[in-house]
Amino acid sequence: MTARLLKTACQQLEDFRRAGVTHLPQVELLKMPTTGVAEQFTSEKLPPVAEPPAEEKPNEIQPVSSSPETTKDVVENWEPSMEDLQPVLSLEEKQEQLAQVDCAVKGCEKCGNLASTRTQTVFGVGDPNARILFIGEAPGADEDRQGEPFVGRAGQLLTKIIEACQLKREDVYICNILKCRPPGNRNPTQDEADNCRAFLDQQIQIVNPEYIVCWGSVAAKNLLDSKLPIGRMRGKFLEYDGAKVLCTYHPSYLLRNPPAKKDVWEDMKFLFRDMGIELSS
Ligand code: URA
């Protein structure tokens, strides 16, 4: 099924939902021939990230060892990791799988309160082949109205940051911890974040980015299951699902505290330097 067809089907279902239809006759479940994504929509949270050592350091990427292995050692000791074994998806396959997860999100009512107050769900936008995936907190009023993440004031600042990095919004993939707006823009509860986690993990697995940027402490703490303040998670790469994770301040915080913009700019330079791109100061 093409992504466009699936989107139309989802829209139809959403129209039924809004019209008060709660049940439809059972049809055969969607099946993906390649990775079985459809079957995992309702699955529990994926395995938790590795437990941090005594002084909490969530998945910090360690510096390269000072005693380098020879090529022979590396080749002889090489064992394929899960990442090596993951199938490489084409752009079309990624679009189709993301459309399937989006469809599941549209029909999700796990958080009754959020499902009954949302205008619509807010899934994600951008390039399914992006090298960088952005994670924010949750949709606000503007995002709830428009169905797209980061389109309000904070989103406009995020767009400026992306452009300062010589990219366009369409060059990255943008999503949130929660796909529904919490009423009054309150912080997501742990239960809400847990309910939405499988969707986020599916997005990460499908896009399979090299880098993840967590914007703000809600994104950082939830993704990495950490209690550290965001100030202590900045300035280094952490790890999640094979991606290098950079945590930085949320654009809403920058709107309230403009001097912190220079810290975010340092973080962006750090990220892009690692990607082999030198951003001018
Ligand atoms: N803040 C977020 O964290 N995400 C959005 O999509 C909008 C504002």
Side-chain angles (χ1 to χ4, degrees):
M1 191 186 304
T2 66
R4 193 156 1 103
L5 198 55
L6 194 62
K7 204 169 167 192
T8 310
C10 275
Q11 194 56 56
Q12 184 72 71
L13 287 173
E14 182 63 13
D15 291 346
F16 282 148
R17 194 184 68 79
R18 286 189 191 181
V21 176
T22 56
H23 293 84
L24 289 172
Q26 189 168 6
V27 291
E28 220 182 290
L29 276 178
L30 284 173
K31 282 249 160 63
M32 293 293 298
T34 44
T35 54
V37 168
E39 293 92 318
Q40 295 174 35
F41 291 159
T42 52
S43 71
E44 291 304 313
K45 219 168 125 167
L46 295 181
V49 292
E51 206 161 296
E55 207 233 323
E56 193 187 359
K57 286 190 176 172
N59 304 345
E60 192 165 339
I61 292 178
Q62 296 304 321
V64 178
S65 154
S66 56
S67 57
E69 295 165 294
T70 63
T71 309
K72 183 166 168 289
D73 287 338
V74 172
V75 171
E76 282 181 0
N77 297 330
W78 183 81
E79 275 181 36
S81 66
M82 281 313 289
E83 202 195 349
D84 296 320
L85 297 174
Q86 265 178 17
V88 177
L89 301 177
S90 68
L91 178 63
E92 219 208 6
E93 284 170 326
K94 286 185 175 192
Q95 285 168 332
E96 186 167 324
Q97 293 193 9
L98 285 169
Q100 290 208 23
V101 185
D102 187 13
C103 193
V105 165
K106 282 187 166 76
C108 179
E109 301 199 334
K110 273 193 191 169
C111 309
N113 181 30
L114 301 191
S116 63
T117 54
R118 72 189 178 210
T119 305
Q120 58 191 312
T121 54
V122 178
F123 183 60
V125 283
D127 181 2
N129 275 334
R131 291 182 74 187
I132 315 174
L133 181 144
F134 284 177
I135 305 178
E137 183 177 323
D142 294 300
E143 291 76 20
D144 175 70
R145 208 174 305 119
Q146 297 183 41
E148 183 173 330
F150 280 106
V151 290
R153 273 187 78 218
Q156 285 158 23
L157 179 54
L158 182 69
T159 303
K160 281 190 187 162
I161 297 170
I162 294 171
E163 287 168 358
C165 298
Q166 309 299 319
L167 293 178
K168 297 193 284 299
R169 266 175 80 92
E170 309 84 81
D171 296 327
V172 294
Y173 188 85
I174 309 175
C175 58
N176 281 308
I177 294 287
L178 290 196
K179 314 305 182 203
C180 295
R181 179 190 182 207
N185 295 348
R186 61 162 172 72
N187 279 354
T189 65
Q190 193 57 53
D191 280 351
E192 289 164 352
D194 290 347
N195 286 343
C196 229
R197 183 52 176 264
F199 297 134
L200 176 66
D201 279 327
Q202 294 290 349
Q203 286 173 301
I204 294 171
Q205 284 178 1
I206 295 166
V207 175
N208 194 17
E210 285 168 66
Y211 297 90
I212 294 175
V213 180
C214 290
W215 294 93
S217 65
V218 169
K221 289 177 179 179
N222 267 291
L223 184 78
L224 300 166
D225 195 17
S226 167
K227 291 191 169 39
L228 286 178
I230 185 75
R232 287 198 53 202
M233 297 173 88
R234 290 185 48 238
K236 59 191 166 201
F237 286 119
L238 305 168
E239 193 272 340
Y240 187 77
D241 204 9
K244 289 182 176 180
V245 180
L246 180 74
C247 302
T248 192
Y249 296 123
H250 193 284
S252 300
Y253 174 70
L254 301 182
L255 291 172
R256 297 192 303 273
N257 185 16
K261 285 182 184 174
K262 65 175 182 330
D263 297 323
V264 170
W265 186 237
E266 286 310 312
D267 291 337
M268 292 302 107
K269 286 196 289 186
F270 174 71
L271 166 68
F272 279 78
R273 193 170 306 126
D274 198 74
M275 295 171 71
I277 299 165
E278 209 56 50
L279 295 175
S280 53
S281 310

